Amino acid sequence: MITVESLTKTYGSFTAVDDVSFTAQPGRVTGFLGPNGAGKSTTMRVMVGLTAPGAGEVRVLGRRFKDLPDPGREVGVLLDASAQHAGRTGREILTIAALTMGLPRTRVDEMLERVSLTPDEASRRVRNYSLGMRQRLGIGTALLGNPQVLILDEPANGLDPAGIRWMRDLLRGFADDGGTVLLSSHLLHEIEVIADDIVVIGNGRIVAQGTKDELLAGAGTLVRSTDGVALATALTAAGITARPTSGGAVLAEAELARVGQAAFAAGIPVTELRAAEGAGLEEMFLSLTAESQRDVTSHTDPEGAAA
Amino acid sequence: MSTATLTTQDTAPVTARRTDVRPAPAPTPFRRVVNVELRKMFDTRSGFWLMASIVIASVIATGLTIILGDREDLTFDSFAASVGSPMSIVLPIIGVLAVTSEWSQRTALTTFTLVPSRRRVLGAKLLNALAIGAVSMVVALGVGALGNLVTAAINGTDPVWDIASSTFAQIVLANELGMLLGFALGLLFRNSPAAIVGYFVINLVLPGLSGALGAAQAWWADNAGWFDLNQTRFLLFDSTLSGQEWVQLGLTSALWIALPLAIGLRLVLRSEVK
Amino acid sequence: MNSSTVDVRTAPDPVTATPGERARSVPAPTPFRRVLNVELRKMFDTRSGYWLMVSIVGLSILATAAVIVFAPDDEITYESFATAIGFPMSIILPMIAILAVTSEWSQRSGLTTFTLVPSRGRVIGAKATATFLVGLVSMVVAFAVGALGNLVGSALLGADTVWNISFETVPQIVLGNLVGMAIGFTLGVVLRNSPAAIVGYFVVSLVLPGILLLLAQVRDWFEDLQPWIDWNYTQVNLFDGATDTAREWAMLGTTSAIWIVFPLIVGVWFLRRSEVK
């Protein structure tokens, strides 16, 4: 279990993490979702003691990270798969981790097999690894001590589709076994597929948290036409709370049939009409991304929908 | 969703035509590469402080000379000597890092994809390194001259300007050679720590070794000038070189600077950039 | 935009969820010996680390061969060999000490190191111990190669083997090299950047002595003070086996305090609070 309590971290006048509190439960996969630069990595670095918190506290398995007697045996951490000495071989990196944790050398071979690194690949220097191979090695390092908690920052980065599938199954199995998994991602779809609980962070603040079902349940209907504003006006006129979003889409708080009826009555041709499952979360996430002004989204095509 | 994707293919020819029509851009002019490489030497924190350290070290060296030296005997020559000492360390390090940072920071991936001709990039770097070397020496000697004026003002005497312009040119040359050596080692090793250690070994350790060898072997004492770069290079700082010494300087520079530079260049041109 | 915020803060009660935690015993704390073992291994397991270690043996042999070839016959003594080998040692050993610390930052392996052993003080302690051990073993190797060279050299000459280094001098020479390593280690801890620490080491070991010597020549008051603040001065005394009196040991003590102990304390203080990225 991981407990984050009122965590705040500032750099000069910039607040990277602002009063963040959440809990990652054992037996569940907690998705830590947010656009680039939202404060996910900083929060995770504070969790494992690499960055000192400005205020607040993080407890892992009921203790502060630095008070864990042998952290590798209880908490598996992968923050940046590229942060390894480029001159070491993959096997050597696992070996020094195993030695630090006091594990037998056989554990290294087991783990290489588990993360599908061949003996030939394992004897190559990390300098020559692809991002996907580094990621597998990093996941291997995290799992090496048979921990109870996993803290993974963007673990799917660089993995091929089969690798992403493999990682999902692995994390699912880990959680079903009673372990706690916290993984971050900037891809909504990835989190949707794997997480039980979701924590959404934007500009250092938590903007939503709860179980996936709760967050995705977002009641209502998504309806789309060529002119979203006109459609929303028409729906509002019909007594339905409606809000235009983007790309001609409108989120309406009424069931499918009633929304369709109202649009029909107003004479507006509808191009899409469906239950707004998760559309609320999707919209919120997109608006978060838009706020950070890295991309201007003109169309509601969630990044994850293509995958 | 999938239907939407299919329909957009109807518009595909429009995009395709656009690429056909576009004229090939003009080749990247060398001046632009030089500009960018110059900027890259200043735009990181370490680069900035390295450049700043030229001024800071000159000021400190001058200050120390005024405070600690025998003020009556101080001339421009004393100041030139004291500001030259930190320059002989800072400038070659700038030369080394100009090359190695592309590899240690992995910026080479971007640099050599934007300008695939590595020769041009390295040429631009070399040009900048030498230009910075020359400017730094002018700055350093300027600070030294200021120190000389201040000393004269304190003493109430006329400042003594006892460096001929030829000596001045020689000092600049000596420092440019040091910088070239650093640059060559950077190319050879493409690894900051290794190249820096290499420079200090050649510049600060080898003279001692050569001296020890000269003490033991008379032959070496007589002929070291033909092999030991430092012997003639150090002469540049404070004396007039004879014709033979100039030849020795040329030969040793070819051996210690041109040769590693050529080998390093060859290695860089052929190496895989990762 | 705020209206789009989905706020379903109904996180399950932590207490009820805890039974799901697998009941496991807390592992024993990582023993220091294990951290030391790992840090020692990390000094050898990269290509650059390996070649640094190899170069200790390689350069010892090279220096020994150079003495046999170049030194005049009457100087084929153990002292000549020890001096010649001491030369490359005085450069390589500090480099090893520097890189033992800085590579965690320059190669970013610190992310893993400090999550597996969150107590950074222990990691630095283990690194210091490992560096110390490597220094000791290197010196043993260096003395052995020199002894071998002395035997070979005198045999080639057909002369008697001259062992002109007393047993009292040996520990001082070893200590002198350890001082050099400690300076490198300190610079590594303070600067946490390989190029900067390497430049720093050459400046304080090869440039600074010249400046201080010059200063001592022109300023009388500094002449008396120099042995108390110039660490090179006290190190050279160690190499010569000339640190005998209590006063000389006190000088070594103050130079070590100024150049090693004090900056190391400050450096570790900052290092423990710094952000590892």
Side-chain angles (χ1 to χ4, degrees):
Chain A
M1 187 166 85
I2 306 167
T3 327
V4 181
E5 272 171 44
S6 325
L7 187 69
T8 300
K9 175 74 191 173
T10 53
Y11 296 94
S13 61
F14 172 68
T15 306
V17 180
D18 190 358
D19 195 24
V20 163
S21 302
F22 67 88
T23 306
Q25 301 289 342
R28 297 178 76 84
V29 176
T30 304
F32 196 23
L33 179 68
N36 299 328
K40 302 187 295 289
S41 297
T42 308
T43 307
M44 287 179 137
R45 271 208 315 277
V46 173
M47 258 175 211
V48 299
L50 291 180
T51 295
E57 196 177 50
V58 180
R59 284 177 181 270
V60 183
L61 292 167
R63 273 163 296 178
R64 287 179 303 176
F65 193 86
K66 66 172 181 183
D67 295 334
L68 295 170
D70 191 349
R73 306 276 291 261
E74 297 185 282
V75 186
V77 180
L78 168 59
L79 293 186
D80 183 345
S82 295
Q84 284 297 351
H85 196 302
R88 293 203 175 98
T89 64
R91 175 185 297 278
E92 178 61 24
I93 283 169
L94 285 184
T95 304
I96 55 177
L99 286 173
T100 311
M101 296 179 225
L103 301 169
R105 302 283 184 92
T106 49
R107 184 76 183 141
V108 172
D109 292 296
E110 273 172 43
M111 194 46 67
L112 284 170
E113 198 163 325
R114 181 142 182 224
V115 299
S116 312
L117 285 174
T118 64
D120 175 52
E121 288 169 333
S123 60
R124 268 194 253 159
R125 292 179 196 279
V126 171
R127 176 179 291 118
N128 303 316
Y129 272 31
S130 69
L131 182 55
M133 284 161 75
R134 284 174 201 222
Q135 209 67 252
R136 283 170 185 275
L137 183 68
I139 293 171
T141 313
L143 290 172
L144 197 66
N146 189 24
Q148 281 177 278
V149 175
L150 280 181
I151 297 175
L152 311 172
D153 195 1
E154 309 265 358
N157 264 0
L159 289 178
D160 53 24
I164 291 177
R165 179 66 181 273
W166 161 80
M167 191 199 66
R168 267 181 215 150
D169 294 346
L170 190 148
L171 297 185
R172 185 74 265 155
F174 187 88
D176 289 347
D177 221 27
T180 308
V181 180
L182 177 71
L183 87 157
S184 75
S185 178
H186 59 276
L187 300 180
L188 174 61
H189 173 70
E190 194 179 297
I191 293 287
E192 255 180 56
V193 175
I194 175 77
D196 303 306
D197 299 317
I198 300 178
V199 177
V200 189
I201 187 171
N203 296 322
R205 272 193 214 98
I206 290 192
V207 289
Q209 61 177 323
T211 67
K212 179 171 67 178
D213 295 339
E214 286 165 345
L215 284 178
L216 294 186
T221 299
L222 184 136
V223 57
R224 193 190 300 276
S225 76
T226 43
D227 187 351
V229 179
L231 178 62
T233 316
L235 293 179
T236 312
I240 300 168
T241 313
R243 183 165 54 82
T245 56
S246 53
V250 175
L251 276 176
E253 288 176 20
E255 70 273 25
L256 279 179
R258 205 177 143 216
V259 172
Q261 203 96 52
F264 182 75
I268 298 175
V270 165
T271 53
E272 189 180 356
L273 181 67
R274 61 177 168 94
E277 271 179 354
L281 186 60
E282 198 175 292
E283 284 303 321
M284 177 196 65
F285 188 57
L286 277 170
S287 67
L288 266 182
T289 320
E291 271 169 36
S292 69
Q293 291 185 335
R294 278 174 206 275
D295 297 293
V296 179
T297 33
S298 56
H299 190 282
T300 25
D301 188 17
E303 284 177 82
Chain B
M1 277 298 176
S2 54
T3 45
T5 328
L6 281 175
T7 45
T8 55
Q9 290 208 334
D10 296 344
T11 59
V14 179
T15 21
R17 201 176 57 219
R18 199 172 61 198
T19 53
D20 287 342
V21 171
R22 288 225 305 213
T28 322
F30 185 65
R31 201 168 40 80
R32 210 192 282 157
V33 184
V34 173
N35 257 335
V36 170
E37 291 304 329
L38 184 63
R39 192 185 170 97
K40 277 159 71 179
M41 294 174 90
F42 291 85
D43 67 356
T44 63
R45 199 179 294 180
S46 60
F48 173 79
W49 282 109
L50 212 50
M51 298 300 168
S53 69
I54 292 173
V55 181
I56 296 170
S58 307
V59 171
I60 291 177
T62 306
L64 282 178
T65 312
I66 296 177
I67 296 167
L68 302 171
D70 276 326
R71 238 168 262 146
E72 308 300 319
D73 302 335
L74 287 180
T75 65
F76 189 39
D77 189 46
S78 337
F79 286 102
S82 60
V83 295
S85 162
M87 285 307 115
S88 71
I89 295 167
V90 178
L91 293 181
I93 301 302
I94 291 176
V96 165
L97 294 179
V99 182
T100 55
S101 66
E102 293 280 357
W103 276 265
S104 62
Q105 304 288 337
R106 304 190 62 215
T107 47
L109 263 76
T110 312
T111 307
F112 293 138
T113 43
L114 288 177
V115 184
S117 164
R118 299 186 194 172
R119 206 182 286 270
R120 295 181 82 202
V121 174
L122 294 172
K125 280 182 188 294
L126 186 62
L127 204 67
N128 281 320
L130 292 178
I132 286 177
V135 172
S136 305
M137 286 313 297
V138 172
V139 170
L141 289 171
V143 174
L146 216 63
N148 197 24
L149 286 175
V150 170
T151 312
I154 294 173
N155 289 345
T157 53
D158 283 336
V160 185
W161 304 102
D162 52 353
I163 295 185
S165 56
S166 62
T167 317
F168 183 87
Q170 282 190 15
I171 294 175
V172 174
L173 176 65
N175 276 299
E176 294 283 25
L177 284 176
M179 206 162 187
L180 273 173
L181 177 60
F183 193 86
L185 291 171
L187 278 180
L188 203 57
F189 291 111
R190 276 164 282 143
N191 173 308
S192 313
I196 292 174
V197 172
Y199 174 75
F200 281 113
V201 167
I202 292 177
N203 192 47
L204 297 176
V205 180
L206 284 191
L209 279 181
S210 181
L213 191 56
Q217 294 282 330
W219 182 85
W220 181 260
D222 295 338
N223 295 294
W226 296 101
F227 306 98
D228 183 355
L229 172 67
N230 296 309
Q231 289 224 339
T232 41
R233 193 168 77 91
F234 289 162
L235 285 182
L236 283 174
F237 283 105
D238 49 14
S239 54
T240 318
L241 273 68
S242 69
Q244 190 192 4
E245 282 163 344
W246 280 110
V247 175
Q248 286 180 338
L249 182 66
L251 260 175
T252 52
S253 302
L255 182 69
W256 288 94
I257 298 171
L259 187 67
L261 200 62
I263 297 172
L265 190 66
R266 210 176 154 76
L267 288 175
V268 169
L269 293 181
R270 292 171 164 217
S271 71
E272 191 178 0
V273 179
K274 283 195 173 175
Chain C
M1 279 300 169
N2 273 338
S3 58
S4 70
T5 307
V6 183
D7 204 353
V8 197
R9 288 173 195 253
T10 46
D13 186 341
V15 183
T16 52
T18 320
E21 203 102 73
R22 283 174 291 182
R24 294 211 312 195
S25 58
V26 174
T30 319
F32 182 74
R33 202 168 40 79
R34 219 196 270 159
V35 185
L36 172 60
N37 187 19
V38 168
E39 290 306 329
L40 206 51
R41 187 183 172 102
K42 279 158 72 177
M43 294 175 85
F44 294 85
D45 70 354
T46 64
R47 200 175 291 179
S48 57
Y50 173 79
W51 283 109
L52 269 177
M53 299 299 170
V54 168
S55 66
I56 290 176
V57 181
L59 288 173
S60 298
I61 294 172
L62 204 71
T64 305
V67 172
I68 294 177
V69 175
F70 295 115
D73 294 353
D74 61 336
E75 277 184 31
I76 300 288
T77 65
Y78 194 42
E79 194 185 355
S80 305
F81 286 100
T83 308
I85 295 173
F87 219 55
M89 285 299 132
S90 68
I91 293 166
I92 302 174
L93 292 180
M95 293 303 121
I96 289 175
I98 287 172
L99 295 176
V101 182
T102 55
S103 66
E104 296 282 0
W105 278 267
S106 62
Q107 298 285 341
R108 302 184 63 216
S109 50
L111 258 74
T112 311
T113 306
F114 296 126
T115 43
L116 288 179
V117 185
S119 163
R120 300 186 197 168
R122 291 184 91 201
V123 174
I124 294 300
K127 281 184 187 295
T129 314
T131 306
F132 176 77
L133 291 176
V134 167
L136 277 186
V137 172
S138 304
M139 288 315 294
V140 170
V141 170
F143 275 116
V145 172
L148 211 67
N150 197 18
L151 287 174
V152 172
S154 53
L156 286 176
L157 216 65
D160 284 339
T161 319
V162 185
W163 302 102
N164 52 352
I165 290 185
S166 69
F167 275 109
E168 292 84 67
T169 313
V170 172
Q172 288 203 19
I173 294 177
V174 173
L175 186 61
N177 275 293
L178 292 177
V179 166
M181 283 184 108
I183 295 274
F185 192 86
T186 303
L187 283 165
V189 168
V190 170
L191 297 171
R192 278 172 272 146
N193 173 306
S194 313
I198 292 173
V199 173
Y201 178 76
F202 281 106
V203 168
V204 299
S205 73
L206 296 176
V207 179
L208 192 71
I211 297 173
L212 293 181
L213 187 71
L214 207 69
L215 189 57
Q217 282 167 356
V218 297
R219 287 280 180 255
D220 293 337
W221 57 266
F222 188 71
E223 201 179 351
D224 301 329
L225 201 60
Q226 191 199 3
W228 297 93
I229 59 170
D230 182 356
W231 72 272
N232 280 284
Y233 185 96
T234 47
Q235 192 195 30
V236 168
N237 265 350
L238 283 174
F239 285 144
D240 293 341
T243 310
D244 302 318
T245 64
R247 188 182 148 85
E248 280 160 347
W249 284 106
M251 287 172 175
L252 179 66
T254 55
T255 57
S256 302
I258 294 171
W259 292 95
I260 301 169
V261 179
F262 177 67
L264 198 58
I265 290 171
V266 175
V268 169
W269 193 87
F270 277 107
L271 186 148
R272 291 181 61 182
R273 276 153 192 80
S274 72
E275 197 174 20
V276 182
K277 284 196 167 175

